[in-house]
Amino acid sequence: MSDEDDIILSELDDDELVQQMFDDLYDGLKEEIEESVHILLDRGWVPYRILTEALVGGMKIVGDDFRDGILFVPEVLLAANAMKGGMFILKPLLAETGAPRVGKMVIGTVKGDIHDIGKNLVGMMMEGAGFEVVDLGINNDVDKYLGALESEKPDILGMSALLTTTMPYMKVVIDTLIEKGMREDYIVLVGGAPLNEEFGRAIGADAYCRDAAVAVETAKTWVARKHNRMSA
């Protein structure tokens, strides 16, 4: 560890600093990430470049290792928290420069369910991949979801459930979207421990995501498809 302590971030060149940020994200070192973001800004990097090359690039490694079982939830939460530190600095700057975003997601745990670790992880990983995320928290009924969809105009609605008793509520939400003629406007992704692909299909979701890494990949694929359709 001693040689780690000797690294002076401001003395690294740009490439070395980005590599170091990958390591620091991986290790969940929030203060180091914040310092590195400031250094790159001072060196004239535009916020969007820092987001994509340093933060999203680093979180992709975290996501891949999480998917492959090398990293586990506590470590990913630490990495995501470090990412949040960097994002906190960049967010207002990104808003000013009108940086392109990958897409927007409204996410929440369904009515009757108060579990949120998996949902929080998905939200953080989605932010890490460049999505804007609106987190509705836990115990959301149909009206709460619909209100958020109408006010936020996201590309994606994400619903999560950890109890077998609350899983069917996802269908209530999707059926309501169908009734109101809104179903085609959104990509609906569902997840949670008791769910599976078959259940996702049965309730009419676009996709079931077994973990946060899969959710990010699935979201990217569907949003790209949606944009292609719209521009075609």
Side-chain angles (χ1 to χ4, degrees):
M1 229 357 244
S2 62
D3 60 346
E4 280 287 312
D5 299 335
D6 298 333
I7 293 173
I8 297 168
L9 295 171
S10 57
E11 290 180 2
L12 300 176
D13 68 29
D14 288 7
D15 289 343
E16 291 168 339
L17 186 58
V18 169
Q19 285 302 317
Q20 186 59 42
M21 287 174 80
F22 288 0
D23 290 346
D24 289 344
L25 268 177
Y26 201 91
D27 295 334
L29 304 175
K30 186 176 179 184
E31 286 177 14
E32 284 80 348
I33 289 297
E34 290 168 345
E35 186 185 337
S36 298
V37 167
H38 282 303
I39 292 168
L40 288 175
L41 286 170
D42 289 344
R43 290 183 188 175
W45 278 49
V46 294
Y48 187 67
R49 186 179 172 201
I50 300 173
L51 171 67
T52 50
E53 289 185 27
L55 297 181
V56 175
M59 281 303 281
K60 181 170 185 343
I61 301 168
V62 172
D64 289 348
D65 279 5
F66 175 57
R67 182 195 62 213
D68 297 339
I70 298 164
L71 284 181
F72 299 97
V73 168
E75 295 143 318
V76 177
L77 287 173
L78 275 173
N81 193 46
M83 160 93 191
K84 274 204 149 149
M87 281 296 290
F88 186 75
I89 299 162
L90 293 177
K91 251 191 181 152
L93 304 172
L94 287 165
E96 280 169 29
T97 51
R101 58 181 174 79
V102 183
K104 186 174 186 179
M105 178 185 211
V106 162
I107 190 170
T109 306
V110 295
K111 185 179 174 183
D113 209 315
I114 57 165
H115 295 88
D116 66 354
I117 289 181
K119 169 188 66 64
N120 293 350
L121 197 55
V122 170
M124 287 175 173
M125 295 280 284
M126 291 287 286
E127 282 194 334
F131 283 84
E132 186 182 339
V133 177
V134 179
D135 189 340
L136 304 179
I138 55 174
N139 197 18
N140 290 288
D141 61 16
V142 171
D143 292 340
K144 186 102 184 276
Y145 283 118
L146 289 181
L149 292 177
E150 285 174 12
S151 62
E152 299 293 342
K153 308 261 184 293
D155 303 288
I156 302 168
L157 168 63
M159 290 187 283
S160 123
L162 208 83
L163 303 171
T164 48
T165 49
T166 58
M167 283 164 54
Y169 198 77
M170 293 177 167
K171 186 173 186 322
V172 174
V173 177
I174 292 172
D175 287 349
T176 307
L177 289 177
I178 294 168
E179 272 168 38
K180 293 186 174 290
M182 296 163 63
R183 175 65 187 88
E184 295 305 309
D185 300 341
Y186 307 103
I187 298 158
V188 179
L189 304 182
V190 295
L195 279 68
N196 57 32
E197 219 155 302
E198 205 180 334
F199 176 79
R201 269 199 303 274
I203 62 168
D206 288 306
Y208 151 75
C209 307
R210 69 178 153 75
D211 62 36
V214 172
V216 169
E217 292 312 312
T218 308
K220 282 183 179 168
T221 306
W222 278 90
V223 167
R225 209 179 289 169
K226 183 179 176 185
H227 288 181
N228 290 342
R229 240 194 359 252
M230 285 163 68
S231 58

